[in-house]
Amino acid sequence: MQNLLHWRLLVAVADSGTITLAAHQCGMTQSGASQAIAQLEDTMNTPLLVRLPHSVVLTQSGEQIVIHARAMLAELDAIQHYAHQAKSAHVGKIRLASFPSAFSLLLPSLLRKFKRRYPAIELVQLEGTDQEVENWLALETVDVGVVLNPGKGRQSYPLGQDLWLAVTTNGHPLTRGRHPVDFSALAEHPFVLATGGCQLNAQRLAQMSGFELSNVRVTVSDWSTAITLVREGIGVSLMPASVIPPDAPGICTLPLRSPLYRHFGLVCSFSGASSAPVQTLLQYLQDHLPLPVSS
């Protein structure tokens, strides 16, 4: 098998019609080019050129071989172009911020696979409250962050959604018939306010619905602690479905009569939006995340 310079020389000869000019274009001496053409003809076991006094022309075999040589070199150029682009897109650092439940529930498996696929991209994960994530994005401290309920006018990349569920003990009066409950009726009972480190929690949802949680017995940031407190009879609660274990003993979950969701979206900082590694991450998530269900 000849090297690529031989094939580039053959195509240059076909285009220029002379070995002398083709040799100059390929950075070779005329004698070196003539020897290379002879090696090609010997390897192909067929004459490729007819040498005239002041030029050369391709034989019929030479014309057909040049067609394939052009295609081969075009594919090589495409590979080199891709590799050049990938060098900037697949190397670098991404600072990704999120609140705890998104890291633990939404992203771990995908991020592990992303790191295996793009080992030269360093992924720095920062964990904070939802408000801290917003602040980091505004201050350009991070490149991309998981945001709760990004506004419709804000460019974001959907990650998914989570249904809010009422959480009570088995046998609680609200569980009779296992019917959906009104948020206002849930709020009339002693309440365990679980925040998950986010401003968007039951208290905020109640205020958005026009009332207050007037009987909050305890406020905790950890979802599992809140479930334990509900099980101990301290109060009822409202939590995202994804943080509630499916086999939590002594716990009953009920949907709200008017369903409420929290939506997750990836938002770029100003500088992050122009980062090639960030665009690689966004494309990867877009290709591997299930389509979000509209509510």
Side-chain angles (χ1 to χ4, degrees), residues 10-212:
L10 179 62
V11 171
V13 170
D15 291 339
S16 67
T18 71
I19 293 179
T20 301
L21 183 56
H24 177 73
Q25 291 173 348
C26 294
M28 303 173 68
T29 65
Q30 181 176 356
S31 61
S34 296
Q35 290 176 10
I37 294 297
Q39 290 173 1
L40 272 177
E41 291 179 318
D42 184 60
T43 300
M44 298 294 105
N45 196 29
T46 185
L48 302 177
L49 305 175
V50 174
R51 291 155 178 82
L52 303 176
H54 301 292
S55 64
V56 295
V57 295
L58 295 172
T59 64
Q60 195 277 339
S61 295
E63 290 179 350
Q64 295 302 311
I65 290 173
V66 164
I67 291 174
H68 293 290
R70 288 187 193 278
M72 176 182 66
L73 294 172
E75 287 297 323
L76 175 63
D77 289 341
I79 291 171
Q80 291 175 332
H81 178 69
Y82 171 81
H84 177 74
Q85 289 185 317
K87 184 177 180 180
S88 60
H90 300 168
V91 176
K93 179 188 293 186
I94 301 174
R95 297 164 299 175
L96 170 63
S98 179
F99 43 91
S101 58
F103 268 150
S104 62
L105 299 167
L106 287 172
L107 300 175
S109 175
L110 280 174
L111 293 183
R112 283 195 298 271
K113 293 176 181 177
F114 177 80
K115 289 179 182 179
R116 288 198 295 267
R117 190 171 181 84
Y118 302 102
I121 296 180
E122 181 184 0
L123 202 56
V124 180
Q125 300 179 29
L126 295 90
E127 189 174 289
T129 66
D130 56 337
Q131 188 56 54
E132 286 175 328
V133 172
E134 292 283 13
N135 291 340
W136 294 337
L137 286 169
L139 294 172
E140 304 279 321
T141 304
V142 299
D143 302 304
V144 63
V146 179
V147 171
L148 270 178
N149 294 354
K152 292 183 178 180
R154 191 177 192 185
Q155 185 173 9
S156 63
Y157 301 81
L159 290 176
Q161 65 184 24
D162 215 352
L163 181 67
W164 290 93
L165 294 176
V167 183
T168 72
T169 56
N170 289 331
H172 190 280
L174 288 173
T175 66
R176 294 188 188 124
R178 298 296 178 97
H179 299 302
V181 299
D182 289 320
F183 193 176
S184 56
L186 181 71
E188 293 174 356
H189 294 267
F191 207 91
V192 174
L193 179 59
T195 67
C198 299
Q199 288 189 327
L200 184 64
N201 53 57
Q203 185 68 274
R204 176 61 179 152
L205 292 172
Q207 292 170 353
M208 292 167 61
S209 300
F211 58 90
E212 293 283 338

Side-chain angles (χ1 to χ4, degrees), residues 211-272:
F211 58 90
E212 293 283 338
L213 297 177
S214 58
N215 193 10
V216 175
R217 295 294 178 88
V218 63
T219 299
V220 296
S221 61
D222 183 68
W223 301 111
S224 61
T225 300
I227 290 173
T228 299
L229 291 170
V230 170
R231 184 185 297 117
E232 293 300 314
I234 304 302
V236 299
S237 192
L238 184 72
M239 301 183 196
S242 64
V243 305
I244 305 170
D247 56 350
I251 293 296
C252 178
T253 59
L254 299 167
L256 296 177
R257 197 176 306 279
S258 298
L260 293 173
Y261 295 85
R262 60 176 190 167
H263 298 266
F264 307 99
L266 271 179
V267 174
C268 295
S269 65
F270 181 78
S271 60

